Amino acid sequence: TDLQTVTCGAKAPLSDDPRVLEANIAPDPRDIKWENAHINRSWSAGREWTANVALGVGAILWSVPVAAIQAWATADSLASIPGFEWIMSFDGG
């Protein structure tokens, strides 16, 4: 392509707000290190699996203390703590 077409494409407004989308000219293919651009599919799948397992374990480990706090924090048990007696008078106890 010629320089005029490249300039028009790079400067074309893509949105009403110029900070939302920004177009840049791609580098020359000779400037790209193509050996670094390859991503091994099995390595990427392994990373995805690891992240999903970590997320699942984290959700389970997070739910245990939250469920324990909810079970412990009833209005009756909180009212027995000094300074929290007002909870029983709030909205009918």
Side-chain angles (χ1 to χ4, degrees):
T1 61
D2 60 339
L3 184 59
Q4 182 180 5
T5 306
V6 171
T7 303
C8 288
K11 297 299 179 187
L14 301 175
S15 174
D16 294 342
D17 187 1
R19 296 168 292 166
V20 174
L21 296 173
E22 183 178 331
N24 293 320
I25 299 171
D28 189 74
R30 294 173 292 186
D31 295 337
I32 297 175
K33 294 184 178 182
W34 291 104
E35 61 272 6
N36 293 339
H38 175 71
I39 297 175
N40 188 344
R41 192 176 300 250
S42 64
W43 184 76
S44 180
R47 284 180 56 126
E48 181 181 357
W49 182 85
T50 303
N52 287 334
V53 168
L55 180 66
V57 169
I60 291 170
L61 292 177
W62 183 258
S63 65
V64 170
V66 169
I69 290 170
Q70 283 184 325
W72 175 75
T74 62
D76 293 330
S77 65
L78 288 177
S80 66
I81 299 172
F84 282 97
E85 298 85 8
W86 60 271
I87 290 178
M88 293 307 289
S89 64
F90 182 71
D91 197 26

PDB file of all heavy atoms in Angstrom, residues 5 10 17-18 21 36 39 41 49 72 76 84:
ATOM      1  N   THR A   5      -2.638   5.947   1.858  1.00  0.00           N
ATOM      2  CA  THR A   5      -3.633   5.017   2.371  1.00  0.00           C
ATOM      3  C   THR A   5      -3.337   4.640   3.815  1.00  0.00           C
ATOM      4  O   THR A   5      -4.240   4.573   4.650  1.00  0.00           O
ATOM      5  CB  THR A   5      -3.664   3.750   1.506  1.00  0.00           C
ATOM      6  OG1 THR A   5      -3.851   4.126   0.153  1.00  0.00           O
ATOM      7  CG2 THR A   5      -4.757   2.808   1.938  1.00  0.00           C
ATOM      8  N   ALA A  10      -4.645   5.093   9.575  1.00  0.00           N
ATOM      9  CA  ALA A  10      -4.167   5.263  10.943  1.00  0.00           C
ATOM     10  C   ALA A  10      -4.819   6.458  11.626  1.00  0.00           C
ATOM     11  O   ALA A  10      -4.968   6.469  12.845  1.00  0.00           O
ATOM     12  CB  ALA A  10      -2.651   5.425  10.958  1.00  0.00           C
ATOM     13  N   ASP A  17     -15.363   9.428  20.912  1.00  0.00           N
ATOM     14  CA  ASP A  17     -14.374   9.772  21.932  1.00  0.00           C
ATOM     15  C   ASP A  17     -13.008   9.284  21.459  1.00  0.00           C
ATOM     16  O   ASP A  17     -12.781   8.078  21.340  1.00  0.00           O
ATOM     17  CB  ASP A  17     -14.741   9.117  23.257  1.00  0.00           C
ATOM     18  CG  ASP A  17     -13.864   9.571  24.411  1.00  0.00           C
ATOM     19  OD1 ASP A  17     -12.972  10.408  24.194  1.00  0.00           O
ATOM     20  OD2 ASP A  17     -14.098   9.092  25.531  1.00  0.00           O
ATOM     21  N   PRO A  18     -12.077  10.184  21.196  1.00  0.00           N
ATOM     22  CA  PRO A  18     -10.780   9.752  20.649  1.00  0.00           C
ATOM     23  C   PRO A  18      -9.946   8.930  21.623  1.00  0.00           C
ATOM     24  O   PRO A  18      -8.983   8.300  21.230  1.00  0.00           O
ATOM     25  CB  PRO A  18     -10.076  11.069  20.311  1.00  0.00           C
ATOM     26  CG  PRO A  18     -10.746  12.088  21.155  1.00  0.00           C
ATOM     27  CD  PRO A  18     -12.164  11.633  21.347  1.00  0.00           C
ATOM     28  N   LEU A  21     -10.862   4.251  21.287  1.00  0.00           N
ATOM     29  CA  LEU A  21     -10.181   3.358  20.346  1.00  0.00           C
ATOM     30  C   LEU A  21      -9.038   4.112  19.682  1.00  0.00           C
ATOM     31  O   LEU A  21      -9.209   5.239  19.230  1.00  0.00           O
ATOM     32  CB  LEU A  21     -11.154   2.857  19.282  1.00  0.00           C
ATOM     33  CG  LEU A  21     -12.306   1.992  19.776  1.00  0.00           C
ATOM     34  CD1 LEU A  21     -13.270   1.729  18.649  1.00  0.00           C
ATOM     35  CD2 LEU A  21     -11.784   0.691  20.321  1.00  0.00           C
ATOM     36  N   ASN A  36       9.273 -15.443  18.740  1.00  0.00           N
ATOM     37  CA  ASN A  36       8.638 -15.082  20.012  1.00  0.00           C
ATOM     38  C   ASN A  36       7.119 -14.971  19.892  1.00  0.00           C
ATOM     39  O   ASN A  36       6.428 -14.867  20.893  1.00  0.00           O
ATOM     40  CB  ASN A  36       9.193 -13.754  20.519  1.00  0.00           C
ATOM     41  CG  ASN A  36      10.643 -13.855  20.904  1.00  0.00           C
ATOM     42  OD1 ASN A  36      11.146 -14.936  21.157  1.00  0.00           O
ATOM     43  ND2 ASN A  36      11.323 -12.724  20.932  1.00  0.00           N
ATOM     44  N   ILE A  39       2.831 -19.288  20.310  1.00  0.00           N
ATOM     45  CA  ILE A  39       2.402 -19.731  21.631  1.00  0.00           C
ATOM     46  C   ILE A  39       2.034 -21.205  21.517  1.00  0.00           C
ATOM     47  O   ILE A  39       1.187 -21.581  20.712  1.00  0.00           O
ATOM     48  CB  ILE A  39       1.197 -18.912  22.130  1.00  0.00           C
ATOM     49  CG1 ILE A  39       1.579 -17.451  22.294  1.00  0.00           C
ATOM     50  CG2 ILE A  39       0.681 -19.475  23.444  1.00  0.00           C
ATOM     51  CD1 ILE A  39       0.422 -16.558  22.655  1.00  0.00           C
ATOM     52  N   ARG A  41       0.180 -24.378  22.074  1.00  0.00           N
ATOM     53  CA  ARG A  41      -1.221 -24.587  22.437  1.00  0.00           C
ATOM     54  C   ARG A  41      -1.361 -25.415  23.713  1.00  0.00           C
ATOM     55  O   ARG A  41      -2.190 -25.124  24.565  1.00  0.00           O
ATOM     56  CB  ARG A  41      -1.957 -25.253  21.290  1.00  0.00           C
ATOM     57  CG  ARG A  41      -3.448 -25.251  21.453  1.00  0.00           C
ATOM     58  CD  ARG A  41      -4.119 -25.826  20.241  1.00  0.00           C
ATOM     59  NE  ARG A  41      -3.807 -25.054  19.052  1.00  0.00           N
ATOM     60  CZ  ARG A  41      -4.687 -24.290  18.407  1.00  0.00           C
ATOM     61  NH1 ARG A  41      -5.919 -24.235  18.830  1.00  0.00           N
ATOM     62  NH2 ARG A  41      -4.339 -23.619  17.340  1.00  0.00           N
ATOM     63  N   TRP A  49      -5.914 -24.439  32.562  1.00  0.00           N
ATOM     64  CA  TRP A  49      -6.366 -25.452  33.507  1.00  0.00           C
ATOM     65  C   TRP A  49      -5.895 -25.103  34.919  1.00  0.00           C
ATOM     66  O   TRP A  49      -6.661 -25.200  35.878  1.00  0.00           O
ATOM     67  CB  TRP A  49      -5.845 -26.822  33.084  1.00  0.00           C
ATOM     68  CG  TRP A  49      -6.310 -27.916  33.977  1.00  0.00           C
ATOM     69  CD1 TRP A  49      -7.487 -28.601  33.909  1.00  0.00           C
ATOM     70  CD2 TRP A  49      -5.604 -28.445  35.108  1.00  0.00           C
ATOM     71  NE1 TRP A  49      -7.554 -29.523  34.918  1.00  0.00           N
ATOM     72  CE2 TRP A  49      -6.409 -29.450  35.675  1.00  0.00           C
ATOM     73  CE3 TRP A  49      -4.375 -28.170  35.681  1.00  0.00           C
ATOM     74  CZ2 TRP A  49      -6.027 -30.173  36.791  1.00  0.00           C
ATOM     75  CZ3 TRP A  49      -3.994 -28.894  36.798  1.00  0.00           C
ATOM     76  CH2 TRP A  49      -4.809 -29.877  37.338  1.00  0.00           C
ATOM     77  N   TRP A  72     -22.453 -18.301  62.542  1.00  0.00           N
ATOM     78  CA  TRP A  72     -22.163 -17.782  63.871  1.00  0.00           C
ATOM     79  C   TRP A  72     -22.861 -16.456  64.128  1.00  0.00           C
ATOM     80  O   TRP A  72     -23.284 -16.174  65.246  1.00  0.00           O
ATOM     81  CB  TRP A  72     -20.648 -17.616  64.028  1.00  0.00           C
ATOM     82  CG  TRP A  72     -20.267 -16.971  65.326  1.00  0.00           C
ATOM     83  CD1 TRP A  72     -20.273 -17.552  66.557  1.00  0.00           C
ATOM     84  CD2 TRP A  72     -19.839 -15.632  65.513  1.00  0.00           C
ATOM     85  NE1 TRP A  72     -19.874 -16.654  67.498  1.00  0.00           N
ATOM     86  CE2 TRP A  72     -19.596 -15.456  66.884  1.00  0.00           C
ATOM     87  CE3 TRP A  72     -19.635 -14.560  64.659  1.00  0.00           C
ATOM     88  CZ2 TRP A  72     -19.165 -14.271  67.416  1.00  0.00           C
ATOM     89  CZ3 TRP A  72     -19.202 -13.360  65.187  1.00  0.00           C
ATOM     90  CH2 TRP A  72     -18.964 -13.219  66.549  1.00  0.00           C
ATOM     91  N   ASP A  76     -29.172 -13.386  67.773  1.00  0.00           N
ATOM     92  CA  ASP A  76     -29.073 -13.768  69.192  1.00  0.00           C
ATOM     93  C   ASP A  76     -27.625 -13.840  69.652  1.00  0.00           C
ATOM     94  O   ASP A  76     -27.284 -13.365  70.735  1.00  0.00           O
ATOM     95  CB  ASP A  76     -29.751 -15.118  69.431  1.00  0.00           C
ATOM     96  CG  ASP A  76     -31.256 -15.046  69.230  1.00  0.00           C
ATOM     97  OD1 ASP A  76     -31.822 -13.963  69.467  1.00  0.00           O
ATOM     98  OD2 ASP A  76     -31.841 -16.070  68.830  1.00  0.00           O
ATOM     99  N   PHE A  84     -23.495  -4.830  71.573  1.00  0.00           N
ATOM    100  CA  PHE A  84     -24.352  -5.189  70.445  1.00  0.00           C
ATOM    101  C   PHE A  84     -25.787  -5.527  70.883  1.00  0.00           C
ATOM    102  O   PHE A  84     -26.527  -6.133  70.137  1.00  0.00           O
ATOM    103  CB  PHE A  84     -23.770  -6.391  69.690  1.00  0.00           C
ATOM    104  CG  PHE A  84     -22.634  -6.039  68.781  1.00  0.00           C
ATOM    105  CD1 PHE A  84     -21.325  -6.197  69.203  1.00  0.00           C
ATOM    106  CD2 PHE A  84     -22.872  -5.555  67.507  1.00  0.00           C
ATOM    107  CE1 PHE A  84     -20.274  -5.873  68.370  1.00  0.00           C
ATOM    108  CE2 PHE A  84     -21.826  -5.239  66.674  1.00  0.00           C
ATOM    109  CZ  PHE A  84     -20.521  -5.393  67.103  1.00  0.00           C
TER     110      PHE A  84
END
